[in-house]
Amino acid sequence: MSRFRSLWQTSIQATKRALKGTWEDLMPPSEKVVFHFNSKDEISRWHLYADSELGGLSSASLEIPDTDSGAPLTGVFSGNLSLDLDECSTWRMKRSGFCGMRSKRFNGFIDLDSYDTIAMRLCGDGRCYISTIPLDRYLPTWRGNVINANLEMNPSRIVGMSLSVNAEGGVPGAKTGPGDFQLEIDWIKALRS
């Protein structure tokens, strides 16, 4: 009988502590790490694509460079953008010069409904990179280009994210054209203001 009474009292005390909590205790944290590019396991959660899948000659990689300095590890998305086409290709491409990385499907969904901003810690090379992220001004993209589509984003059911680069286009002043690209990526976080 004393074990039951002890368990009952412990349960009542835990319930009282939970009820004394504040509204802030029920809110999710102000930031949530979605991806941290600091290990080979994290890098393996991404799939690379390029126009080479369709007859282009662009290439991409996502790696964590070996460092002996003890500096924090950071992912590097790099490669080469080419406007040329493989003459032997059976695809009839009209445009080339794009590469990207897309997260593999989450195990279920990731719920970002409590957050209003996506932040990325990056070090770029002057090129314009496009990301499909759940913001109020979300822009759907395909193969490095923004597409016109009337889509509604459901931030509580995110299935993946992507980051791409295109040899042509971008914001004024950004580096364009064929050639090498390199983007260091530390993390992607969801933030709540």
Side-chain angles (χ1 to χ4, degrees):
M1 186 72 148
S2 65
R3 284 186 186 175
F4 177 74
R5 181 175 289 160
S6 175
L7 181 60
W8 179 256
Q9 287 175 345
T10 303
S11 178
I12 289 173
Q13 290 170 356
T15 303
K16 284 180 180 179
R17 281 193 307 271
L19 293 175
K20 286 183 181 178
T22 64
W23 176 252
E24 287 79 27
D25 293 337
L26 300 174
M27 293 296 290
S30 60
E31 69 179 43
K32 176 179 186 170
V33 174
V34 182
F35 292 103
H36 200 179
F37 296 83
N38 61 355
S39 71
K40 294 191 182 208
D41 284 343
E42 284 288 314
I43 297 295
S44 70
R45 296 173 61 192
W46 291 82
H47 167 77
L48 295 171
Y49 63 88
D51 60 27
S52 57
E53 296 173 9
L54 305 170
L57 298 175
S58 298
S59 61
S61 68
L62 178 60
E63 302 172 350
I64 295 182
D66 293 328
T67 62
D68 295 332
S69 66
L73 300 176
T74 302
V76 177
F77 173 51
S78 63
N80 184 274
L81 298 170
S82 174
L83 298 176
D84 297 328
L85 299 173
D86 183 351
E87 294 177 9
C88 300
S89 174
T90 58
W91 294 90
R92 297 196 182 268
M93 286 185 63
K94 293 185 180 183
R95 184 186 67 83
S96 61
F98 62 85
C99 293
M101 51 187 270
R102 178 176 47 246
S103 67
K104 295 178 180 174
R105 273 186 90 82
F106 296 119
N107 187 8
F109 301 104
I110 186 168
D111 184 354
L112 299 180
D113 194 34
S114 299
Y115 302 93
D116 52 24
T117 304
I118 294 293
M120 299 180 189
R121 185 171 184 191
L122 310 167
C123 182
D125 59 1
R127 288 190 182 271
C128 181
Y129 292 82
I130 298 173
S131 179
T132 54
I133 51 183
L135 299 170
D136 288 342
R137 297 176 187 215
Y138 165 78
L139 296 173
T141 63
W142 177 252
R143 301 288 187 191
N145 285 317
V146 176
I147 58 172
N148 265 340
N150 190 12
L151 300 173
E152 187 174 324
M153 184 73 164
N154 183 349
S156 66
R157 297 176 63 89
I158 304 298
V159 295
M161 295 180 173
S162 68
L163 190 65
S164 60
V165 61
N166 185 338
E168 298 177 334
V171 297
K175 180 180 175 182
T176 61
D180 293 338
F181 68 90
Q182 180 172 312
L183 181 69
E184 292 180 39
I185 311 168
D186 191 6
W187 45 253
I188 299 174
K189 294 180 180 179
L191 304 176
R192 180 173 51 82
S193 52

